[in-house]
Amino acid sequence: VTVAIRLLFNPWALSYGDATGWPVLNWTLYTWGIPALSLLLASRWLRLSAIVGEETKQSELARIQNIAVHLFSAVVLVLGLLVAFALVNVEVSHLFQDAGPIELSGRSLWQGMVRSVSWGSYGFVLLVVGVLTKGRMIRLIGFGFILLAAMKVALVDLLVYEGFVRVGSLLGLALFLLMAAL
């Protein structure tokens, strides 16, 4: 949890490495991916340990502890999903930079489009995982990321892009929203 907070709220976290190296297998995958995976696995372990505790007859104190474990598991899950979302953003920035510290504020046309598609794809993957695992919270968070991508396309991309790029952005937005609706 401390590493997640440090990665998400530290303004200097992007300066831990530079944009050199391979597009996907690079320092950002290890710096952001290992904590995200660790948080997701810890959340799953906490949830399973709380379920095992529910199957036995419990005292009132044990029930309260079980509720606390469920809440902490939810917090750890949300932090893991946020770190994974940050990893997606950092990898998109790394893909479009040649050298120097990673900057999230890329201004190229392709970077903006890839970022929008990656946000929608991340939300869609979470939505599918939530459906397959019957995880309501994961489905809602995935749908939230799809809506975030839709707002980015509607409020930023459509104002910045012109011509066929604007049409492509609208078609991509429509495709993600239709898939999410299904």
Side-chain angles (χ1 to χ4, degrees), residues 9-122:
F9 299 109
N10 183 359
W12 299 283
L14 294 174
S15 63
Y16 290 163
D18 58 11
T20 59
W22 292 356
V24 176
L25 297 174
N26 48 40
W27 71 269
T28 56
L29 181 63
Y30 306 118
T31 305
W32 299 76
I34 291 173
L37 184 63
S38 299
L39 286 164
L40 295 174
L41 290 174
S43 171
R44 174 109 173 119
W45 178 76
L46 285 168
R47 204 173 7 193
L48 288 176
S49 69
I51 290 172
V52 169
E54 287 177 356
E55 295 172 354
T56 61
K57 194 165 183 135
Q58 297 178 344
S59 66
E60 189 64 31
L61 179 62
R63 277 193 216 114
I64 292 171
Q65 288 174 338
N66 210 3
I67 291 171
V69 169
H70 275 295
L71 288 175
F72 187 65
S73 171
V75 168
V76 170
L77 175 68
V78 169
L79 281 175
L81 294 175
L82 287 175
V83 171
F85 182 68
L87 171 65
V88 168
N89 282 302
V90 172
E91 285 291 346
V92 168
S93 294
H94 191 280
L95 181 67
F96 287 95
Q97 283 184 249
D98 293 332
I102 298 289
E103 296 175 2
L104 292 178
S105 62
R107 300 286 184 222
S108 75
L109 169 76
W110 288 106
Q111 185 173 356
M113 291 179 69
V114 168
R115 192 173 306 277
S116 297
V117 168
S118 67
W119 288 11
S121 299
Y122 180 72

